[in-house]
């Protein structure tokens, strides 16, 4: 059963240089279709600027989609009004990327974590206190931490507070927007293990946004690879890692450093940088950087094709 279904989702940001110029759009998310099974960890990977974060925020309706459909537990939430969406909000939460800017600097931890309980539930102060104390215990913090401010914590502890804030409403679905990218490597490992433990404890479903394929290997069940607002490959973790079909995915895999000196990879470095989403290339968006591109790649955008059961790739010449 799919908890989240996204169909032909688009999110364009309008840019207009003058009042008389033609509207120009940044196509941050451009016709994305994917399903997130209930109880899974679904990873979205890609370079910076590929549209990963915008996709996550649009699924949560923090950004209104330009077009397409979003379903949560079979319910179409695409066009719900704010009052109707409020009942869904507590079931869908987000852990932002930056633990330094995501927490209010002038609020105590007990108020930061408990704020959602005040908004969504009519709970008494002592009930909120007990619920916050309980949820902080799950993320490895103590009761005394409730009476401190965010600046009194390390980066890893702040991210635990952000995770507690997302968990306190007992959600079903959490978007993890690169939750460990701002942390030290040793802290990253502990936070990732915590997230896996919490998933089992609370029967959660994650959308895990990252650019680190090593994290995907540790965390994910399924994975989608994004490039310039589009999903170019989607499948199970084994499909992405061991049956790679899209040249862009192959290049991402090739960029992962190996700790084994005997395992030397033939480095194939992509040409240039990710194109400007305001003026994307014709045909396949990856063709200017693709080492395998042919003339048809410049002229026609490939369709998504199924290369194995459940393994889809958007390429004229899959590997």
């Amino acid at each position: 059963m799919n908890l989240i279904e996204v169909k032909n989702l688009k999110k364009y940001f309008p840019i207009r240089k003058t009042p008389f110029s033609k509207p120009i759009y940044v196509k941050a998310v451009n016709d994305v279709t994917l399903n997130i099974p209930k109880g899974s960890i679904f990873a979205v990977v890609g370079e910076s600027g590929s549209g990963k974060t915008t996709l996550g925020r649009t699924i949560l309706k923090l950004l209104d989609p330009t077009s397409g459909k979003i379903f949560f537990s079979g319910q179409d939430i695409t066009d719900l009004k704010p009052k109707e969406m409020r009942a869904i909000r507590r079931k869908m939460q987000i852990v932002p990327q930056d633990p330094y800017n995501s927490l209010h600097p002038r609020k105590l931890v007990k108020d930061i974590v408990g704020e959602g309980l005040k908004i969504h539930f009519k709970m008494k102060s002592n009930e909120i206190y007990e619920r916050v104390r309980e949820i902080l215990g799950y993320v490895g913090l103590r009761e005394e931490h409730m009476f401190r401010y965010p600046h009194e914590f390390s980066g890893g502890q702040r991210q635990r507070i952000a995770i507690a804030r997302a968990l306190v409403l007992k959600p079903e679905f959490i978007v993890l927007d690169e939750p460990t990218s701002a942390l030290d490597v040793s802290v990253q490992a502990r936070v990732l293990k915590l997230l896996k433990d919490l998933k089992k404890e609370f029967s959660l479903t994650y959308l895990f946004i990252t650019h680190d394929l090593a994290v995907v290997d540790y965390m994910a069940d399924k994975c989608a690879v994004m490039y310039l607002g589009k999903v170019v490959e989607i499948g199970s973790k084994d499909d992405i890692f061991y049956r790679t079909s899209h040249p862009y995915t192959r290049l991402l895999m090739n960029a992962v450093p190996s700790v084994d000196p005997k395992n030397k990879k033939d480095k194939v470095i992509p040409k240039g940088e990710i194109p400007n989403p305001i003026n994307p290339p014709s045909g396949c968006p990856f063709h200017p950087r693709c080492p395998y591109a042919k003339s048809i790649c410049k002229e026609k955008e490939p369709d998504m094709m199924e290369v194995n059961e459940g393994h889809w790739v958007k390429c004229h010449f899959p590997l």
Side-chain angles (χ1 to χ4, degrees):
M1 177 185 174
N2 294 319
L3 182 66
I4 301 290
E5 295 180 31
V6 174
K7 296 182 179 179
N8 305 112
L9 188 66
K10 296 181 181 180
K11 178 58 185 177
Y12 295 173
F13 294 98
I15 296 175
R16 184 173 290 186
K17 295 182 179 178
T18 71
F20 306 102
S21 64
K22 233 177 152 182
I24 302 171
Y25 296 96
V26 175
K27 299 179 179 180
V29 176
N30 194 3
D31 199 21
V32 169
T33 297
L34 54 83
N35 299 319
I36 303 176
K38 187 176 178 67
S40 69
I41 300 178
F42 191 104
V44 178
V45 299
E47 293 172 288
S48 296
S50 60
K52 307 184 300 296
T53 295
T54 304
L55 173 64
R57 290 181 173 272
T58 306
I59 289 174
L60 291 177
K61 291 292 297 295
L62 298 176
L63 298 171
D64 290 325
T66 303
S67 66
K69 293 290 183 181
I70 305 166
F71 295 88
F72 178 80
S73 289
Q75 178 185 359
D76 186 354
I77 65 170
T78 314
D79 300 315
L80 289 184
K81 296 177 181 178
K83 286 185 179 179
E84 298 170 320
M85 190 65 198
R86 187 168 180 173
I88 307 293
R89 287 273 177 225
R90 63 184 180 84
K91 300 178 183 179
M92 306 168 71
Q93 293 292 306
I94 185 170
V95 176
Q97 176 178 355
D98 187 356
Y100 294 91
N101 293 324
S102 65
L103 304 177
H104 197 299
R106 298 182 66 183
K107 285 188 175 182
L108 294 171
V109 168
K110 69 180 183 66
D111 298 319
I112 292 172
V113 177
E115 186 175 11
L117 296 173
K118 292 180 181 179
I119 295 171
H120 290 277
F121 303 102
K122 294 180 179 179
M123 296 177 67
K124 297 178 181 178
S125 297
N126 63 324
E127 293 174 328
I128 292 175
Y129 182 93
E130 286 302 317
R131 177 61 183 156
V132 171
R133 185 177 64 82
E134 178 189 12
I135 209 69
L136 286 177
Y138 278 112
V139 300
L141 297 174
R142 300 187 299 274
E143 184 175 3
E144 64 194 66
H145 292 137
M146 295 171 64
F147 302 96
R148 296 182 187 176
Y149 292 95
H151 73 269
E152 299 179 73
F153 295 91
S154 66
Q157 288 175 319
R158 290 188 196 192
Q159 198 62 296
R160 289 170 187 265
I161 295 168
I163 293 168
R165 180 178 56 184
L167 283 175
V168 76
L169 296 176
K170 298 183 178 179
E172 297 177 36
F173 176 65
I174 298 181
V175 172
L176 302 168
D177 186 7
E178 303 203 39
T180 60
S181 63
L183 306 177
D184 293 337
V185 175
S186 59
V187 179
Q188 285 183 22
R190 292 197 293 271
V191 171
L192 290 173
K193 185 179 184 305
L194 171 66
L195 289 169
K196 290 192 82 169
D197 293 341
L198 292 172
K199 175 189 173 294
K200 293 179 182 178
E201 182 72 29
F202 293 97
S203 302
L204 297 168
T205 303
Y206 289 155
L207 175 64
F208 198 100
I209 297 168
T210 184
H211 61 270
D212 189 342
L213 284 167
V215 172
V216 175
D217 191 21
Y218 175 71
M219 292 288 292
D221 304 311
K222 293 190 69 177
C223 182
V225 181
M226 285 191 73
Y227 184 78
L228 211 62
K230 295 178 179 288
V231 171
V232 296
E233 187 167 4
I234 188 168
S236 68
K237 181 176 68 175
D238 288 345
D239 288 332
I240 300 301
F241 276 80
Y242 306 113
R243 294 181 286 275
T244 308
S245 292
H246 197 281
Y248 177 60
T249 311
R250 174 69 61 84
L251 293 171
L252 288 180
M253 295 291 298
N254 217 18
V256 178
S258 175
V259 295
D260 184 0
K262 296 179 181 178
N263 183 18
K264 293 183 179 179
K265 299 178 182 178
D266 296 326
K267 294 292 183 184
V268 181
I269 301 172
K271 298 175 286 185
E273 297 181 356
I274 191 166
N276 191 334
I278 298 174
N279 186 25
S282 61
C284 173
F286 186 59
H287 86 259
R289 305 175 68 194
C290 181
Y292 312 104
K294 299 182 180 179
S295 57
I296 190 174
C297 303
K298 302 176 183 179
E299 300 163 5
K300 182 182 177 183
E301 183 176 353
D303 296 322
M304 190 70 89
M305 67 173 75
E306 191 173 23
V307 290
N308 294 301
E309 186 178 354
H311 184 192
W312 296 79
V313 61
K314 197 179 186 71
C315 183
H316 289 298
F317 307 101
L319 303 175

